[in-house]
């Protein structure tokens, strides 16, 4: 199970986090305690949205995962994520040539094909990869693992605090407004929109919605609490681009849930 979790975390977190230390992650998984602090988001973290945008600045203060390996059948796994701040800007395509558009489209297509190939290989292995006896043993083992995974998922406790995703539309046409390399020295007011979330918690309950461990594989109750969710947009906002990382974190945090998000 530890190996499965490690692969899932490496594949999932590796797509979004910059400079993920896989050795530390491995040690944390085997101990049952993963703590990633002050991590930057990759510039291509939003690629799967298939939009011409990139992450100009992204930061996560804490990703914590606690897995009680010896008591999975009686204790919940706990996930905590704190301070997810992301500022996205448009990809400058004003000077793109035809081949650059082709490269952008090819990258998206390549990712789609890779996903389809992985699913097909998995399906082939399940159907033809083993003898009947091996397949039976594999099915029995997979059935046990699936039941355990199902129990873990149905009892996982999730806490997310302080989320702020922001997009600024920065025109880059030379002669009208400053381009990105010079933007830090020239104040201006871009179009911006985004959303923020103060907190989200999710945990298992009994039929009376009291927090409890779910030992029934047939069904489960989940209670989801969302606090301070807001969406905003402005055509005359103050840009967050010129800010230092510390100033950026403060500005993103202070404007969570604000009625007048700049």
């Amino acid at each position: 199970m530890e190996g499965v979790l490690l692969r899932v975390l490496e594949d999932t977190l590796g797509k979004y986090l910059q400079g993920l230390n896989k050795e530390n992650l491995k040690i944390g998984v085997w101990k049952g305690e993963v703590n990633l602090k002050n991590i930057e988001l990759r510039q291509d973290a939003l690629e799967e949205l298939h939009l011409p945008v990139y992450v100009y600045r992204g930061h996560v203060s804490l990703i914590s995962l606690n897995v009680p390996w010896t008591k999975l059948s009686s204790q919940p796994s706990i996930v905590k994520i704190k301070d997810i701040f992301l500022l996205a800007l448009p990809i400058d395509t004003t000077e793109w040539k035809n081949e650059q558009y082709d490269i952008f489209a090819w990258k998206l297509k390549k990712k789609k094909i890779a996903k389809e190939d992985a699913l097909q290989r998995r399906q082939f292995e399940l159907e033809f990869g083993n003898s009947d006896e091996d397949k039976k043993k594999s099915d029995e083992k997979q059935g046990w693992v699936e039941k355990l995974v199902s129990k873990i998922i149905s009892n996982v406790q999730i806490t997310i605090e302080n989320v702020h995703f922001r997009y600024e539309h920065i025109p880059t046409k030379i002669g009208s407004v400053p381009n990105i390399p010079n933007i830090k020295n020239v104040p201006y007011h871009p179009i911006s929109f985004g959303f923020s979330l103060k907190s989200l918690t999710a945990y298992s309950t009994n039929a009376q919605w009291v927090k409890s461990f779910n030992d029934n594989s047939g069904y489960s109750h989940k209670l989801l609490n969302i606090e301070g969710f807001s969406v905003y947009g402005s055509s005359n906002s103050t840009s967050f681009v010129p800010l230092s990382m510390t100033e950026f974190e403060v500005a993103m945090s202070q404007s969570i849930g604000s009625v007048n998000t700049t």
Side-chain angles (χ1 to χ4, degrees):
M1 286 299 296
E2 291 91 339
V4 173
L5 177 60
L6 180 62
R7 288 195 297 273
V8 170
L9 290 178
E10 287 180 348
D11 292 343
T12 304
L13 298 180
K15 292 190 298 184
Y16 304 106
L17 304 182
Q18 184 74 34
L20 181 66
N21 190 318
K22 293 186 178 181
E23 188 59 32
N24 289 344
L25 181 63
K26 180 179 179 180
I27 294 173
V29 168
W30 285 93
K31 287 183 176 180
E33 295 182 4
V34 175
N35 286 290
L36 305 176
K37 297 181 180 180
N38 297 320
I39 322 152
E40 291 188 14
L41 298 177
R42 294 166 56 104
Q43 280 198 337
D44 59 356
L46 300 177
E47 259 192 6
E48 292 188 350
L49 296 179
H50 298 177
L51 297 173
V53 300
Y54 73 100
V55 177
Y56 177 76
R57 181 167 286 160
H59 179 82
V60 182
S61 292
L62 174 68
I63 298 177
S64 173
L65 174 62
N66 183 277
V67 183
W69 290 118
T70 60
K71 300 179 180 179
L72 288 175
S73 60
S74 59
Q75 291 185 8
S77 297
I78 300 173
V79 178
K80 294 182 180 179
I81 306 176
K82 186 176 181 181
D83 299 338
I84 310 174
F85 302 143
L86 183 150
L87 173 60
L89 301 180
I91 294 175
D92 181 10
T93 60
T94 56
E95 297 183 2
W96 274 20
K97 298 179 180 179
N98 290 336
E99 56 266 26
Q100 289 173 297
Y101 283 103
D102 292 339
I103 291 173
F104 182 75
W106 175 78
K107 285 182 179 179
L108 298 180
K109 186 175 181 180
K110 184 180 179 182
K111 287 193 173 185
K112 182 179 179 180
I113 292 174
K115 287 183 179 179
E116 292 175 350
D117 286 346
L119 289 174
Q120 289 177 0
R121 285 197 301 270
R122 177 58 177 163
Q123 187 63 33
F124 180 84
E125 290 173 357
L126 290 175
E127 294 182 5
F128 307 107
N130 301 314
S131 64
D132 291 341
E133 184 177 349
D134 289 340
K135 187 175 181 181
K136 182 179 179 180
K137 292 180 180 178
S138 177
D139 288 344
E140 290 176 353
K141 183 177 180 181
Q142 184 177 0
W144 176 83
V145 171
E146 286 180 350
K147 288 180 180 179
L148 183 58
V149 170
S150 177
K151 181 174 287 189
I152 294 172
I153 293 176
S154 66
N155 285 288
V156 67
Q157 295 181 9
I158 301 174
T159 300
I160 302 175
E161 297 178 356
N162 297 337
V163 179
H164 189 171
F165 282 27
R166 177 183 176 91
Y167 171 81
E168 292 185 8
H169 184 70
I170 297 181
T172 55
K173 185 177 179 181
I174 298 175
S176 57
V177 295
N179 56 15
I180 294 298
N182 301 320
I183 195 63
K184 292 186 177 183
N185 301 319
V186 183
Y188 80 108
H189 302 280
I191 297 172
S192 68
F193 58 86
F195 70 89
S196 64
L197 175 69
K198 185 64 178 175
S199 69
L200 179 150
T201 58
Y203 51 84
S204 299
T205 71
N206 58 23
Q208 286 72 45
W209 302 106
V210 177
K211 191 175 183 179
S212 65
F213 186 86
N214 174 36
D215 199 30
N216 190 329
S217 58
Y219 63 91
S220 63
H221 294 84
K222 283 285 186 182
L223 186 61
L224 177 67
N225 295 313
I226 296 177
E227 179 184 350
F229 177 76
S230 62
V231 180
Y232 66 89
S234 173
S235 60
N236 188 34
S237 63
T238 300
S239 177
F240 285 12
V241 170
L243 304 179
S244 67
M245 177 58 81
T246 301
E247 292 171 335
F248 169 75
E249 293 175 25
V250 171
M252 293 289 277
S253 178
Q254 289 182 345
S255 53
I256 289 177
S258 172
V259 177
N260 186 30
T261 302
T262 56

